[in-house]
């Protein structure tokens, strides 16, 4: 089951079919992962107010990678994003919200709705298999993933809490490293759209190896061009 905050999403019927969406380039939320966000634009402050009064679910999604725009001048949206439940909210005193989203499952946009809301709203179809966070975890190349991560850290003279890393479950390891990775929007979308944990791990290893071959810089953006 997919645990997000106080809710166990045991089946697809528990997940809303219509959600507000937050387009954000380079952002990657994955099932089970946690994403902190600093909310300051009025339309997204209104969105947070509305979801706090409802089911607390937001769709995180990237704008289309080709930069195309719709007739309203808004960025076209990628086909696939990830739903997150708002699990914490802090008011800053200067009009902002500091929130945390916890990933529930990925979704595919079915239709963008026309509403009077200042933010965008979409009908979505969810990836029900994502509600089982451990599905495919046994097939992950854990040793290859850890080696890739270690090589990246060494190339960039970085350190990590290896005790915590080695204790992490395969699903936590794959999704946390994917979300933390410093790669560009195309790489983030490829990691999001990987069909299962094994493929996501293989994708992350491949992207990291390409970054290392190109010099190992911390900013690996634009590798998949």
């Amino acid at each position: 089951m997919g645990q997000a905050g106080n809710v166990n999403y045991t089946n697809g019927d528990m997940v809303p079919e219509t959600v507000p969406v937050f387009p954000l380039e380079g952002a990657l939320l994955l099932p089970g992962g946690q994403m902190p966000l600093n909310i300051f634009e009025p339309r997204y402050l209104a969105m947070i107010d509305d979801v706090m009064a409802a089911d607390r679910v937001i769709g995180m999604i990237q704008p289309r990678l080709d930069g195309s725009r719709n007739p309203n001048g808004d960025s076209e949206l990628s086909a696939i994003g990830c739903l997150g439940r708002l699990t914490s909210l802090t008011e800053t005193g200067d009009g902002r919200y500091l929130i945390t989203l916890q990933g529930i499952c990925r979704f595919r946009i079915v239709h963008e709705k026309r509403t009077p809301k200042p933010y965008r709203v979409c009908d979505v179809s969810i990836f029900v298999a994502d509600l089982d966070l451990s599905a495919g975890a046994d097939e992950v190349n854990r040793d290859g993933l850890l080696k890739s991560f270690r090589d990246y850290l060494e190339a960039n003279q970085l350190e990590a809490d290896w005790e915590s890393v080695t204790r992490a479950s395969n699903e936590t390891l794959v999704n946390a490293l994917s979300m933390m990775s410093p790669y560009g929007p195309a790489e983030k979308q490829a990691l999001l759209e990987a069909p299962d944990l094994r493929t996501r791990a293989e994708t992350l290893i491949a992207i990291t190896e390409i970054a290392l071959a190109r010099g190992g810089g911390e900013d690996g953006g634009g590798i998949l061009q």
Side-chain angles (χ1 to χ4, degrees):
M1 66 184 66
Q3 176 81 34
N6 292 331
V7 177
N8 289 326
Y9 292 92
T10 56
N11 60 73
D13 292 339
M14 299 179 66
V15 183
E17 297 179 343
T18 301
V19 295
V21 296
F22 190 166
L24 187 60
E25 183 175 319
L28 176 60
L29 178 65
L30 290 169
Q34 294 193 346
M35 172 180 283
L37 291 168
N38 176 17
I39 307 298
F40 56 89
E41 288 189 51
R43 56 180 168 172
Y44 295 125
L45 292 170
M47 179 180 72
I48 298 304
D49 288 340
D50 287 349
V51 301
M52 283 297 292
D55 52 28
R56 300 193 179 194
V57 175
I58 295 168
M60 291 300 301
I61 196 162
Q62 289 202 100
R64 277 254 302 262
L65 299 175
D66 62 8
S68 58
R69 295 186 174 272
N70 64 24
N72 295 327
D74 295 321
S75 297
E76 293 282 8
L77 301 174
S78 294
I80 295 174
C82 185
L83 297 180
R85 179 177 172 83
L86 199 159
T87 56
S88 73
L89 181 150
T90 300
E91 295 183 345
T92 62
D94 60 2
R96 294 177 293 124
Y97 289 152
L98 302 179
I99 69 168
T100 300
L101 294 180
Q102 185 161 355
I104 302 169
C105 63
R106 294 172 298 161
F107 66 87
R108 186 181 300 275
I109 289 180
V110 175
H111 172 71
E112 182 168 354
K113 300 176 71 71
R114 296 182 63 182
T115 77
K117 301 292 186 181
Y119 50 84
R120 300 168 75 172
V121 177
C122 292
D123 292 330
V124 301
S125 172
I126 69 166
F127 290 65
V128 178
D130 285 355
L131 297 178
D132 180 0
L133 295 177
S134 63
D138 292 341
E139 301 175 10
V140 168
N141 179 5
R142 184 182 181 91
D143 290 342
L145 185 60
L146 289 174
K147 180 182 182 303
S148 174
F149 183 45
R150 187 186 295 274
D151 290 346
Y152 183 87
L153 292 177
E154 290 178 354
N156 291 285
Q157 299 180 325
L158 300 172
E159 295 183 357
D161 180 357
W162 277 103
E163 183 178 350
S164 297
V165 171
T166 54
R167 286 202 312 263
S169 65
N170 280 358
E171 60 268 26
T172 298
L173 188 64
V174 172
N175 288 339
L177 291 181
S178 294
M179 288 179 60
M180 290 164 49
S181 65
Y183 304 126
E187 290 78 16
K188 296 285 191 179
Q189 196 65 26
L191 290 165
L192 175 68
E193 295 186 9
D196 50 43
L197 282 170
R198 177 184 61 81
T199 309
R200 183 169 296 134
E202 291 174 349
T203 302
L204 182 56
I205 291 169
I207 291 170
T208 302
E209 288 176 347
I210 293 171
L212 290 170
R214 291 186 176 183
E218 286 188 43
D219 182 4
I223 291 170
L224 299 183
Q225 291 182 348

